[in-house]
Amino acid sequence: MFAINPFAALSASISPAVMQTYVVVMIVLVVAGTLFEVVHKGSAKYFFQNMRKAKGARALGGGEFVSIAVQTAVVDVLASGEFCNARRRIAHLLGMYGFVLYVLATAVLVFNPAAGAIWAQLWWLGGLMVCVGGYWFWFFIRVDVAAEGNSPFRVVRADLFILSMLASATLGLVWAWVQAKGGAGVYVLFGLYILATTVLFAGVPWSKFAHMFFKPAAAFEKRITRAD
């Protein structure tokens, strides 16, 4: 089951071209939503305002510049160094790498139905990592739940990204499981999976999705300012 492309099984009822078009549309929505954040909401200004205010005492050399870029990529991006709490960092890393695997494997499986079994396995692994990291964070690590004692079911608009991501991964895995077992309700589950995924990628202007693009640049700028 874990080695079978779940999207290939849909080809008898849904054209691969339709699924491929859907993936392209989702990519366009992410780009458009991110540009909306930058131009209309001014979110990028929040991350880069220190760049305009900071006045460096000296010019950085080429070696220092490269060193800071490497530190930013390794510590702030790949290792999520911004999180001091170990549990939150682990949960974030599970969700981040899981989401990357999940999205990348989805694109490969949709555009290449004959892709090797490893891609189907990576799709399952990515989805499971998203669920483990996301649900762990949602129910046990969130500040308003762990420290302030609020209900874990309290939802605000800022939660749109993580909730839609969890819904997409969860419904995707359940749909693939039911489809492989030949159970009923496959198309209902697939429809819910598509709905959650659409909310995830179409909701960029109203969620924190675009922040994943801003934060690495902001971390780099912060390190440059400190070095200056």
Side-chain angles (χ1 to χ4, degrees):
M1 179 184 69
F2 298 108
I4 299 175
N5 182 348
F7 300 98
L10 286 173
S11 59
S13 53
I14 300 178
S15 170
V18 173
M19 290 186 283
Q20 292 166 7
T21 300
Y22 174 81
V23 171
V24 173
V25 170
M26 293 303 102
I27 294 174
V28 171
L29 287 176
V30 170
V31 174
T34 302
L35 291 176
F36 178 83
E37 282 268 345
V38 173
V39 177
H40 296 284
K41 295 179 66 176
S43 296
K45 294 180 182 178
Y46 170 79
F47 292 106
F48 301 124
Q49 60 183 349
N50 288 334
M51 183 178 291
R52 297 192 303 270
K53 296 178 181 179
K55 294 182 179 180
R58 62 185 177 85
L60 294 178
E64 286 181 295
F65 191 85
V66 172
S67 176
I68 291 173
V70 172
Q71 290 178 42
T72 302
V74 174
V75 177
D76 297 303
V77 179
L78 298 180
S80 298
E82 64 182 284
F83 297 108
C84 297
N85 183 288
R87 293 196 308 157
R88 185 163 185 174
R89 179 184 293 190
I90 294 172
H92 180 80
L93 289 172
L94 283 170
M96 180 180 72
Y97 286 112
F99 184 69
V100 171
L101 283 177
Y102 173 69
V103 172
L104 178 61
T106 297
V108 171
L109 293 173
V110 168
F111 282 93
N112 183 16
I118 183 63
W119 286 105
Q121 294 165 351
L122 288 175
W123 184 82
W124 278 95
L125 176 62
L128 288 172
M129 288 173 64
V130 168
C131 290
V132 171
Y135 285 117
W136 185 22
F137 168 77
W138 183 261
F139 287 106
F140 302 106
I141 302 178
R142 281 193 303 159
V143 173
D144 58 343
V145 174
E148 300 175 13
N150 291 329
S151 169
F153 299 102
R154 174 177 174 271
V155 177
V156 297
R157 194 178 72 173
D159 299 322
L160 177 62
F161 172 57
I162 186 171
L163 288 179
S164 58
M165 180 176 65
L166 281 173
S168 174
T170 302
L171 289 168
L173 296 179
V174 172
W175 155 69
W177 177 276
V178 172
Q179 179 178 244
K181 296 296 183 180
V186 171
Y187 289 103
V188 173
L189 288 170
F190 181 72
L192 292 174
Y193 166 54
I194 291 297
L195 176 61
T197 304
T198 302
V199 171
L200 171 62
F201 293 111
V204 172
W206 303 278
S207 73
K208 292 185 176 181
F209 194 115
H211 289 203
M212 70 175 68
F213 304 115
F214 298 147
K215 282 191 173 183
F220 178 69
E221 182 275 328
K222 187 176 182 179
R223 287 181 178 272
I224 289 289
T225 301
R226 285 179 175 176
D228 283 347

